[in-house]
Amino acid sequence: MNFYKYDNVLLEAEDGIGTLTINRPKVLNALNSATLQDIGDALREVKERQDVIKVLIITGAGPKSFVAGADISQMHNMSVVEALNLSKLAHNSFAEIEELPQFTIAAVNGFALGGGCELASSCDMRIGSNTSKFGQPEVGLGIIPGFGGTQRLTRLIGRGKAKEMIATSTMITAQEAYRIGLLDEITEPDQLMDNAKEIAKTIMKNGPIAVAMAKYSVDRGADLPLDIAIDMESQVWAETFATNDQSEGMEAFLEKRAAKFSGK
Ligand code: CAA
């Protein structure tokens, strides 16, 4: 079902799996402000449509690129104020990914550079093909990563590796991205979307509220002191006992049958 069409992104849903495709293949899916706006709008639709989208896959159109960064042709004459607005727009749109109750998978089908690496880093997990390439090339353009790269990348792979990637501005292979924890899985290019869908189906067998709350707990707790994070986890854990899914999940186990989760 192709139910939303934006100028620069496509949003489709099939069998509970949403696919958001950044759709500017002529410029390797570079992110201009209109595309960032479309991404934010599409993500708000995803949040509203939990009835048809249980897990979201984000990918890029065409065989070559996930997203080759922010659109350099739009940026090259920008003022400081325009730069700030573009960065804030990207931050707002990428924050929508983290705030979704649905789990998100970046299916990185080629270049994930600059804003593309930052978009992938905002997803709950990243799978790539063995031709994917990652990089933060901004310092080569005389700027720094401005769509979360100095922050989310650091949290994913650690300060040393993040600073190395950013300061050298060199591209790394999928294998290296996997080794340093930036990629969670690598597949053959023609199996990338099938693999992403298999992961989505595995997640969808579980209680949707529990998946959303687990995502929330991991993300919220990651930057809190451990004692506060642990307390937050206790609260969120206890809240799951208010759901029908908790009763159903445990009754199904005791009755030795598969659970039928209602998401309530
Ligand atoms: N912005 C605008 N246009 C881009 C682009 C970008 N980030 N990346 C690629 N394109 C365009 C190219 O200009 C080219 O357009 P034309 O056909 O009109 O010439 C088209 O996409 C195809 O690209 P190439 O011909 O360059 O393809 P290639 O295979 O030779 O090289 C590449 C691929 C190595 C990815 C190269 O395109 C490249 O280096 N792109 C820029 C990558 C980059 O620096 N990204 C970071 C941007 S800054 C940023 O993201 C800031 C931030 O903090 C968020």
Side-chain angles (χ1 to χ4, degrees):
M1 174 164 82
N2 189 347
F3 64 97
Y4 295 116
K5 175 93 175 70
Y6 298 82
D7 288 343
N8 304 291
V9 304
L10 296 172
L11 180 58
E12 296 155 280
E14 192 177 14
D15 300 331
I17 302 173
T19 305
L20 177 63
T21 305
I22 315 303
N23 191 26
R24 300 181 77 211
K26 284 189 183 148
V27 288
L28 306 184
N29 306 316
L31 302 173
N32 60 6
S33 48
T35 307
L36 289 166
Q37 190 69 55
D38 284 353
I39 291 172
D41 290 346
L43 290 166
R44 282 183 282 277
E45 297 282 6
V46 170
K47 194 172 191 173
E48 294 294 309
R49 297 305 306 267
Q50 290 175 56
D51 55 331
V52 287
I53 298 178
K54 314 289 183 193
V55 174
L56 180 70
I57 298 169
I58 300 183
T59 194
K64 196 170 163 180
S65 182
F66 174 71
V67 166
D71 191 319
I72 300 167
S73 64
Q74 182 181 40
M75 288 187 298
H76 82 290
N77 280 329
M78 272 186 339
S79 67
V80 172
V81 171
E82 287 166 337
L84 186 62
N85 288 339
L86 187 68
S87 175
K88 296 244 184 247
L89 176 61
H91 284 314
N92 290 340
S93 291
F94 292 3
E96 298 278 350
I97 300 173
E98 288 168 330
E99 283 159 23
L100 282 177
Q102 296 101 322
F103 196 89
T104 56
I105 302 168
V108 181
N109 56 315
F111 293 112
L113 303 176
C117 190
E118 291 164 308
L119 173 61
S121 301
S122 306
C123 294
D124 296 316
M125 68 177 285
R126 287 145 291 285
I127 65 170
S129 79
N130 50 27
T131 57
S132 311
K133 291 247 169 31
F134 291 78
Q136 294 288 164
E138 287 89 348
V139 295
L141 298 164
I143 60 172
I144 71 164
F147 293 1
T150 63
Q151 304 307 314
R152 288 197 184 88
L153 186 67
T154 305
R155 284 160 170 76
L156 274 177
I157 64 174
R159 281 194 216 185
K161 275 285 161 203
K163 284 193 275 191
E164 180 186 335
M165 270 183 79
I166 292 167
T168 61
S169 81
T170 49
M171 276 189 237
I172 61 171
T173 61
Q175 289 71 24
E176 176 65 1
Y178 179 73
R179 195 184 71 77
I180 64 176
L182 181 52
L183 260 186
D184 300 302
E185 283 193 22
I186 308 179
T187 65
E188 296 295 322
D190 60 353
Q191 288 164 18
L192 180 67
M193 287 309 287
D194 284 347
N195 191 27
K197 286 177 185 167
E198 279 311 309
I199 296 168
K201 283 182 198 158
T202 304
I203 293 168
M204 285 158 54
K205 287 180 190 152
N206 300 312
I209 300 175
V211 170
M213 287 173 123
K215 165 175 168 165
Y216 172 88
S217 186
V218 170
D219 284 343
R220 279 299 150 112
D223 302 316
L224 294 175
L226 188 61
D227 57 336
I228 297 173
I230 289 291
D231 189 47
M232 183 270 307
E233 184 193 72
S234 293
Q235 298 295 330
V236 177
W237 184 72
E239 279 174 34
T240 62
F241 285 77
T243 65
N244 292 342
D245 283 355
Q246 176 268 330
S247 317
E248 168 61 11
M250 293 194 182
E251 276 166 25
F253 174 81
L254 295 172
E255 291 165 11
K256 301 190 187 308
R257 60 174 176 81
K260 286 187 191 142
F261 292 112
S262 60
K264 291 184 179 149

